[in-house]
Amino acid sequence: MSIANHPTSSPASGQALLESISTRKCNVGIIGLGYVGLPLIDAFTDAGFSCTGFDVDATKVDSLLAGKSYIKHIGDEKIAAWLNKKAFDATADMARLGEPDVLLICVPTPLDDARDPDLKYVVGTCEAIAKALRPGQLVVLESTTYPTTTRDVMVPILEKSGLKAGVDFFVAYSPEREDPGNPDFSAAGIPKVVGAIDETSLQIAKALYESAVAGVIPVSSCEVAEAAKVLENIYRAVNIALVNELKTIFDGMDIDVWEVINAAKTKPFGFQAFYPGPGLGGHCIPIDPFYLSWLARKQGLNARFIELAGEVNRAMPNYVVSQSAKFLNEVQKPIRGSKICLLGVAYKKDVDDPRESPSFELMELLLELGADLTYSDPHVASLPEMRHYDLPAMESQDLTPEFLQSQDAVLIATDHTAFDYEAIVKHAPLVIDTRNATASISNREKIRKC
């Protein structure tokens, strides 16, 4: 679908916005102050723009206005810097959505219980924008979604304002590309794909992002940009599923899958290493591929690779618990009544992001089997409330020698750098490692890979 097939706004109508972008007089509104929104604010304020943050969670707004961050890699010092140079304001008042010149939507797009896309946060945000929308604004959706969402879901809601998309206001899609905890990539250092509903919208969105990020890749439509984001995540989900399946096969053959991967990745072409784990976590990989499989089903098509990858990856927590039961049985202990400490509830190493973490599935399964369960995570002090999991309140435990010795097993679910694996292996009776975190430990008598 090409932007050439759709109504085109007058180039002159976007000239004032382009001018305000080039002079940095443009105010950028970011809706959703989470793991995507805050890094965007950092990128735009660093580039000389002022930003207004919007979130329905007033506690987040109050925290930011007090100079306090709730995301590890966007620290208090960054928030303080935004405030000190008067480049940042935050509000829970959606009536103020008419104030910024640009609105970037960074709200969650989860799956419902049937694993279909749940766009209630996008819809609710667009309804709020429509009440305040004024001529000349640019609205960009950054939330990951299925192709056609921007044009078929977002635009009709915005046009309830009485304004015409591509004529009175501008619309684009630019998928978020965040890698929390990766010091090599900040929001400003990651190129952005941008698609739009018309040529003027594309040029304005392109100018905006070029002012703040490393590079912009314009594409012919919102649909191409939406599909590109889904492809990025499907690529990872399918390849992770492949190594997860190989892991279960190689385990049965007494072959170390980690050694196999390390050997294969010495090939200088035609191979990229992916690694197994206890399941998928984060907002993207466990969720986003199913947007496309849902859309395929609506068109009478089957997304077989996506569905199969999902089955394999969703089965990994059960596999880990089954293997853990086997390892405990080897030392004459059942899971019921055994003291098990799960290391790491964040979905990836060295971050404080628990979204869709496989650790929660592991916890539920272990508790159902009667384990005396605790956890330790230097980045997550207490268990957050999660949409899909009903877990008791827990606090992170200090991994003292006495505590480790009191456990029947320690299960490494997230391989945080802060964990002292030498001490863990030294003092814990049994260490079950799902991340190859103990690879450098020479004394492997108490270690079981899973």
Side-chain angles (χ1 to χ4, degrees), residues 174-202:
S174 182
E176 58 91 0
R177 278 177 166 174
E178 267 295 300
D179 192 10
N182 187 338
D184 296 328
F185 295 107
S186 64
I190 303 172
K192 293 278 285 179
V193 172
V194 179
I197 63 164
D198 70 294
E199 186 61 36
T200 303
S201 295
L202 180 63

Side-chain angles (χ1 to χ4, degrees), residues 9-25:
S9 58
S10 164
S13 65
Q15 199 57 46
L17 184 50
L18 281 168
E19 177 66 20
S20 71
I21 290 170
S22 67
T23 59
R24 304 298 193 269
K25 293 179 180 178

Side-chain angles (χ1 to χ4, degrees), residues 143-163:
S143 305
T144 306
T145 187
Y146 58 86
T148 71
T149 298
T150 305
R151 197 181 306 274
D152 292 350
V153 176
M154 179 173 154
V155 168
I157 297 172
L158 296 177
E159 288 186 335
K160 290 179 182 178
S161 64
L163 302 176

Side-chain angles (χ1 to χ4, degrees), residues 2 45 48 52 75 93 117 127 166 172 183 198 201 216 246-247 284 341 349 362 369 384 408 412-413 426:
S2 169
T45 55
T52 303
D93 182 4
E127 288 173 344
D198 70 294
S201 295
V216 173
L246 288 175
K247 172 183 170 51
C284 292
C341 181
K349 70 186 295 183
L362 293 171
L369 293 173
D408 294 301
I412 301 172
K426 178 180 178 181

Side-chain angles (χ1 to χ4, degrees), residues 344-346 348-351 376-379 414-419 421:
V345 295
K348 63 181 286 192
K349 70 186 295 183
D350 301 341
V351 303
S376 181
D377 192 312
H379 306 292
T414 311
D415 52 334
H416 291 310
T417 304
F419 288 135
Y421 295 106

